[in-house]
Amino acid sequence: MSAARVRFAPSPTGHLHVGNIRTGLVNWLFARKAGGAFVLRFDDTDTERSRPEYVTGIRDDLRWLGLTWDEEAFQSERADRHAAVVETLKAEGRLYACYETPEELEYKRRRQRARGQPPIYDRAGLTLTDAERARLEAEGRHPHWRFRLDHEDIRWDDLVRGACHYESAHLSDPVLVRADGTLLYTLPSVVDDIDMAITHVIRGEDHVVNTAVQIQLCRLLGGTPPTFAHLSLMTDVGGGGLSKRLGSVSVADLRSDGLEPMAVNALLARLGTSDDVAPVTTLDALADTFDLGHFGRAAPKFDPADLARLNARLLHGLDYDAAKPRLAALKADGGPAFWDAVRGNLERFADVAEWHAVAFGDVVPRADAATDAGFLRTAAEALPEEPWDAATWSTWTGALKAATGRKGKGLFMPLRLALTGQPKGPELAALLPLIGRARALDRLRRAAADGAADRAAQAPTRA
Ligand code: GLU
């Protein structure tokens, strides 16, 4: 068998959203696992709606995710080839001219439904005489062109859905050429799949009906139909279609939201499969265990909360060497001890800048309870001399506990608020040596002063 060749074929008529990119990713992983080629094909036959900025956006999204492509193609550059095939099909009588307006077609469908018949096109265009056609064109009508289907049982073995078949007699002859002469996606896709020697077409299940038509068209054009795999479409957590919410889950949004591209990949590669979602750090590792056979028929749910959790897990497991260049770019490289102290608290990588300021910069120390002022002064006085290490925290708090009788939250929370300005965060045992004695002393004193000022403000005034 020849090496696998797959294509990801977005139409550059909008931004990629998680549904599109899942298809792209699955194609990429399939090609990688099979040692084959991944072709990026822009299905840009809709010249009205296709835009160069969407082409750029799609490339940027793919690069951000690491989904490199081996070849790139534009359907619009193959228009002559498509037009030649259209002429051949017309000459062979497989494309026939139809003149109905959308309203007339709708009327026909309504009548069919009222009679209990399926709303299948009645092939009226096929029986027109030359004189009738001339009269319709004299009225100013331009024909659209339908593909005359051979009525047969079209079968294929779908790598996700298993054995599939369609009675083409149950389908309307599909329109392949619009009245303005532009082509619908159906024919260029088949021609290009043949010419580009595509072996596997992996796409969303919204294309299943197209597949029946495309298999017939492919054979008619002398091609061997590729192997098909149709993925169940993702829904949102409520079970609603994701496509209705394009804006809320575009890939560009995920990127600007600061998510890790591998979190997106690791989730989308496993959604809808029997495999566990895990914080996998490389595409190759995802490809190693990738298997189309693990995808099921049920519609997987895309939950942004799952993505956020996976993102955090990836960061928690990221080692210093991998983080270093990114820390440097944020001017937040505090060395391995700093990274190890804070990574477990990150939800987004950029959060690290805030902890860098806590460890090495300036914070606004907090004292929530006015009654903590005295305790904080004692804490400042009890700060051990440097050098500090991981044991300093317990030495210091042990002494404070003995001296003040405070314990648990009453002991630790005022210290945390004073030292970091926040009620939650990394282990203070790890953070304290990074903060160092000078900053710690300053923060404790400032927090104590704030607490005392608070107490003065709250003290009842006597007349
Ligand atoms: N341009 C089509 C789409 O975006 C491609 C479908 C296919 O993969 O054949 O839906």
Side-chain angles (χ1 to χ4, degrees):
M1 209 190 113
S2 58
R5 283 174 62 81
V6 299
R7 85 300 193 273
F8 175 47
S11 301
T13 55
H15 293 294
L16 292 182
H17 56 89
V18 280
N20 309 127
I21 206 64
R22 174 174 177 244
T23 305
L25 172 67
V26 169
N27 272 286
W28 192 96
L29 293 170
F30 182 87
R32 179 54 66 110
K33 178 89 184 269
F38 175 75
V39 179
L40 172 59
R41 190 180 78 206
F42 290 101
D43 281 4
D44 58 349
T45 51
D46 184 343
T47 47
E48 288 278 294
R49 292 168 56 228
S50 296
R51 297 255 185 288
E53 59 267 33
Y54 292 131
V55 170
T56 308
I58 289 167
R59 287 185 187 133
D60 288 349
D61 289 345
L62 290 173
R63 284 196 196 105
W64 177 64
L65 291 164
L67 305 178
T68 47
W69 50 103
D70 302 297
E71 292 166 37
E72 186 178 271
F74 287 84
Q75 285 198 318
S76 57
E77 290 173 5
R78 298 175 38 81
D80 291 350
R81 166 82 174 119
H82 303 146
V85 174
V86 164
E87 289 317 310
T88 311
L89 291 176
K90 283 182 183 171
E92 289 171 353
R94 290 305 295 260
L95 274 181
Y96 62 96
C98 300
Y99 293 85
E100 294 91 344
T101 62
E103 295 73 32
E104 286 164 351
L105 287 171
E106 182 49 33
Y107 176 71
K108 281 188 185 188
R109 284 192 290 264
R110 248 187 288 129
R111 277 216 339 218
Q112 285 169 314
R113 283 198 205 93
R115 290 196 199 122
Q117 294 166 349
I120 297 171
Y121 179 62
D122 61 7
R123 293 188 157 175
L126 260 187
T127 55
L128 293 173
T129 62
D130 286 349
E132 284 167 327
R133 266 196 290 274
R135 183 177 52 72
L136 287 162
E137 289 187 21
E139 278 176 20
R141 297 195 187 217
H142 296 288
H144 54 273
W145 298 78
R146 288 188 188 259
F147 176 52
R148 180 171 55 77
L149 286 166
D150 270 337
H151 288 170
E152 60 173 342
D153 190 19
I154 303 172
R155 295 180 173 271
W156 75 93
D157 249 329
D158 194 290
L159 293 183
V160 172
R161 298 165 70 87
C164 293
H165 72 105
Y166 252 92
E167 275 301 336
S168 52
H170 295 163
L171 301 174
S172 291
D173 287 342
V175 177
L176 299 191
V177 187
R178 297 187 189 90
D180 66 2
T182 59
L183 303 187
L184 281 102
Y185 131 91
T186 320
L187 177 121
S189 187
V190 174
V191 172
D192 293 353
D193 286 344
I194 295 173
D195 292 355
M196 294 171 186
I198 297 302
T199 58
H200 295 77
V201 169
I202 306 168
R203 58 187 179 187
E205 67 181 353
D206 48 334
H207 286 289
V208 164
V209 178
N210 289 335
T211 297
V213 171
Q214 289 181 329
I215 285 176
Q216 195 176 93
L217 197 51
C218 178
R219 291 204 176 108
L220 182 68
L221 299 177
T224 305
T227 303
F228 286 92
H230 292 91
L231 304 172
S232 303
L233 301 183
M234 294 192 295
T235 68
D236 63 19
V237 264
L242 265 184
S243 55
K244 296 197 190 76
R245 307 216 183 162
L246 294 190
S248 62
V249 280
S250 78
V251 178
D253 283 348
L254 298 177
R255 180 169 32 165
S256 61
D257 198 17
L259 288 160
E260 301 295 300
M262 273 312 296
V264 179
N265 288 331
L267 182 67
L268 293 181
R270 295 294 184 256
L271 270 191
T273 72
S274 46
D275 305 325
D276 283 343
V277 174
V280 177
T281 55
T282 65
L283 280 165
D284 279 334
L286 276 180
D288 280 347
T289 53
F290 175 82
D291 188 339
L292 267 182
H294 293 179
F295 284 79
R297 295 284 301 268
K301 288 189 170 39
F302 174 80
D303 185 350
D306 290 338
L307 188 55
R309 266 192 297 275
L310 191 58
N311 196 73
R313 286 174 68 195
L314 267 172
L315 293 175
H316 302 171
L318 192 66
D319 61 31
Y320 176 67
D321 287 339
K324 192 172 165 44
R326 298 174 65 189
L327 291 168
L330 288 177
K331 298 194 176 9
D333 186 358
F338 165 71
W339 175 248
D340 288 340
V342 303
R343 62 177 167 171
N345 279 80
L346 303 179
E347 287 180 8
R348 301 281 192 277
F349 190 86
D351 297 348
V352 74
E354 193 183 325
W355 295 115
H356 190 263
V358 167
F360 307 109
D362 202 13
V363 299
V364 181
R366 254 169 72 181
D368 277 5
T371 48
D372 287 337
F375 169 67
L376 290 169
R377 267 194 300 274
T378 311
E381 279 153 25
L383 268 182
E385 290 303 322
E386 280 175 326
W388 284 3
D389 58 22
T392 306
W393 170 254
S394 72
T395 314
W396 179 43
T397 52
L400 278 175
K401 186 175 171 184
T404 64
R406 287 191 181 226
K407 55 183 188 329
K409 215 176 158 199
L411 173 68
F412 300 120
M413 188 53 81
L415 298 178
R416 178 177 286 285
L417 286 171
L419 291 169
T420 70
Q422 299 184 47
K424 281 195 300 216
E427 287 289 338
L428 281 165
L431 220 44
L432 189 66
L434 300 166
I435 294 173
R437 194 168 195 281
R439 272 186 292 265
L441 193 59
D442 175 58
R443 290 175 192 178
L444 289 164
R445 285 184 178 149
R446 278 158 61 203
D450 276 1
D454 251 23
R455 192 160 42 166
Q458 283 165 17
T461 41
R462 290 211 187 108

